[in-house]
């Protein structure tokens, strides 16, 4: 499953589909410790149920749009909480970037951390919240446009990685120690499948249809999935990279991640009419390792 709840500005049809998606995904995640989910939802209010404080009861996470800001409230069995980010502008509504919420147990204590991402003033920002026993603390914020989790659900300590895609992809690494995010000196220069995804981003941002595709895909990838490069209508639209989130979800016998899931966000801009509002385009990629320990893109959805 893809890894974000996205608060989407859409139609009634999307609302109905979102409700059905919630129902089926709820059945799938009811007993899961690490859950990564993705929704397309309608405004102005969405409620998502999960045990956020570890008491064994489902809590309600409500996201509302109020006066050009998102309000995120968690209703537990004992008390209601409002999530407040250290950057007061973080929850400003952006017309071409939907608020995203990722639920993942980084601390391995069966209480999930809440990872938010939003776009403000031409910059992506991520914030992480953790339950401390009496409140939800904002333990981490960064304004980098690429964030990932490695060793997300195996026997190793999860690593949090961040970088700015335009800054030579020099990653910083962190891990969660009790209620604190601590930076580590691990070598983060080799992010698995980053080269392939970077070339994919370049293809989307390139102002023309590609004459040929680079060798970044598995040989038997669906031709229907590759049609994305010729269905972007680049005579009328340009695409600007906004953010990326990734995490590994399977590993081989050598300990390498055998599957990594990526969610990429692009701003879709009308070339011919600057008065027409921009929109967001989301693309989901799966990258897999081959027998030579090389990564290739095996799936594209948008």
């Amino acid at each position: 499953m893809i890894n974000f709840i996205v608060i989407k500005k859409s139609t009634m049809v999307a609302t109905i589909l979102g409700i059905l998606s919630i129902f089926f995904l709820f059945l799938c995640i009811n007993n899961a410790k690490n859950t990564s989910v993705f929704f397309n939802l309608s405004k102005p209010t969405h409620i998502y149920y999960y045990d956020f404080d570890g008491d064994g009861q489902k809590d309600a996470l409500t996201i509302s749009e109020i006066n050009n800001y998102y309000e995120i409230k968690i209703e537990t069995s004992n008390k209601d909480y409002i999530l407040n980010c250290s950057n007061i502008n973080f929850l400003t509504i952006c017309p071409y970037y939907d608020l995203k919420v990722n639920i993942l147990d980084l601390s391995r204590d069966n209480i999930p951390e809440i990872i938010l991402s939003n776009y403000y003033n031409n910059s992506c920002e991520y914030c992480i919240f953790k339950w401390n026993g009496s409140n939800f603390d904002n333990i981490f914020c960064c304004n980098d446009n690429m964030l990932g989790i490695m060793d997300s659900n195996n026997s190793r300590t999860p690593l949090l990685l961040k970088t700015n895609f335009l800054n030579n992809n020099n990653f910083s690494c962190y891990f969660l120690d009790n209620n604190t995010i601590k930076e580590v000196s691990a070598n983060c220069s080799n992010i698995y499948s980053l080269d392939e995804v970077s070339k994919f981003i370049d293809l989307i941002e390139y102002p023309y249809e590609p004459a040929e595709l680079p060798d970044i895909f598995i040989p038997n990838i669906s031709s229907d999935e590759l049609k994305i490069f010729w269905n972007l209508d680049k005579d009328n639209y340009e695409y600007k990279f906004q953010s990326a989130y990734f995490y590994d979800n399977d590993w081989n016998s050598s300990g390498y991640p055998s599957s990594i899931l990526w969610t990429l966000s692009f701003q879709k801009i009308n070339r011919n009419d600057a008065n027409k509002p921009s929109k967001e385009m989301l693309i989901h990629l799966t990258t897999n390792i081959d027998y030579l320990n090389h990564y290739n893109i095996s799936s594209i959805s948008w």
Side-chain angles (χ1 to χ4, degrees):
M1 289 183 291
I2 305 298
N3 60 316
F4 280 119
I5 304 168
V6 174
I7 308 308
K8 188 75 174 177
K9 307 157 187 74
S10 58
T11 65
M12 182 61 70
V13 173
T15 303
I16 295 172
L17 292 175
I19 292 171
L20 292 174
S21 299
I22 295 168
F23 174 74
F24 288 114
L25 284 169
F26 176 79
L27 294 179
C28 295
I29 68 177
N30 192 41
N31 296 316
K33 293 182 179 179
N34 275 351
T35 300
S36 295
V37 294
F38 180 89
F39 297 133
N40 290 328
L41 300 169
S42 66
K43 65 178 184 179
T45 300
H46 170 62
I47 302 177
Y48 175 62
Y49 296 96
Y50 200 88
D51 181 9
F52 291 102
D53 59 3
D55 65 356
Q57 300 183 49
K58 290 289 189 294
D59 308 309
L61 185 151
T62 303
I63 302 178
S64 305
E65 298 182 8
I66 302 174
N67 297 327
N68 204 38
Y69 285 88
Y70 292 109
E71 180 185 80
I72 305 176
K73 180 172 68 173
I74 298 179
E75 301 174 58
T76 71
S77 57
N78 298 315
K79 187 179 177 181
D80 296 350
Y81 302 88
I82 301 294
L83 299 189
N84 293 309
C85 300
S86 56
N87 178 359
I88 61 174
N89 294 314
F90 173 77
L91 292 177
T92 303
I93 294 173
C94 177
Y96 48 86
Y97 192 94
D98 295 320
L99 177 69
K100 300 167 181 63
V101 183
N102 186 53
I103 310 299
L104 190 65
D105 185 8
L106 298 174
S107 55
R108 303 287 173 80
D109 60 359
N110 295 322
I111 303 175
E113 281 65 52
I114 303 169
I115 304 174
L116 306 179
S117 107
N118 202 16
Y119 203 80
Y120 172 76
N121 197 22
N122 293 318
S123 177
C124 179
E125 186 167 352
Y126 290 89
C127 285
I128 300 178
F129 290 83
K130 179 175 177 56
W131 175 250
N132 66 10
S134 60
N135 205 346
F136 291 92
D137 289 338
N138 182 193
I139 61 171
F140 182 82
C141 279
C142 69
N143 59 356
D144 297 273
N145 58 18
M146 189 172 284
L147 187 81
I149 310 294
M150 302 304 291
D151 297 317
S152 67
N153 192 19
N154 57 21
S155 60
R156 301 179 182 139
T157 300
L159 276 181
L160 177 73
L161 305 102
K162 72 176 184 70
T163 191
N164 190 312
F165 180 68
L166 301 177
N167 191 26
N168 298 319
N169 297 330
N170 185 20
F171 278 83
S172 300
C173 301
Y174 304 82
F175 73 100
L176 183 55
D177 182 18
N178 294 321
N179 293 332
T180 305
I181 295 282
K182 295 184 178 180
E183 188 169 4
V184 296
S185 58
N187 181 8
C188 299
S189 60
N190 182 25
I191 304 302
Y192 305 114
S193 77
L194 176 61
D195 288 344
E196 292 72 24
V197 173
S198 296
K199 292 176 182 178
F200 183 93
I201 292 173
D202 290 342
L203 284 172
I204 299 298
E205 289 194 312
Y206 189 66
Y208 309 104
E209 294 180 351
E212 60 181 4
L213 296 178
D215 186 21
I216 59 175
F217 305 99
I218 62 172
N220 61 341
I221 190 170
S222 167
S223 59
D224 287 338
E225 295 182 18
L226 293 178
K227 287 180 181 178
I228 183 175
F229 300 110
W230 291 273
N231 288 339
L232 296 176
D233 191 12
K234 290 190 174 179
D235 288 337
N236 295 305
Y237 295 98
E238 62 179 296
Y239 297 85
K240 175 185 175 184
F241 172 74
Q242 296 187 125
S243 71
Y245 176 86
F246 64 93
Y247 70 102
D248 50 359
N249 69 332
D250 200 7
W251 302 264
N252 63 19
S253 58
S254 300
Y256 292 105
S258 56
S259 177
I260 303 174
L261 305 181
W262 293 76
T263 297
L264 309 178
S265 171
F266 295 87
Q267 181 184 358
K268 182 178 180 180
I269 305 166
N270 191 295
R271 289 181 178 274
N272 305 315
D273 188 349
N275 293 320
K276 287 190 176 180
S278 296
K279 299 180 180 179
E280 180 179 28
M281 181 178 72
L282 288 178
I283 302 176
H284 311 295
L285 304 179
T286 301
T287 60
N288 292 111
I289 197 171
D290 62 18
Y291 68 98
L292 295 175
N293 289 336
H294 296 155
Y295 287 89
N296 291 290
I297 297 170
S298 61
S299 176
I300 309 168
S301 61
W302 68 96

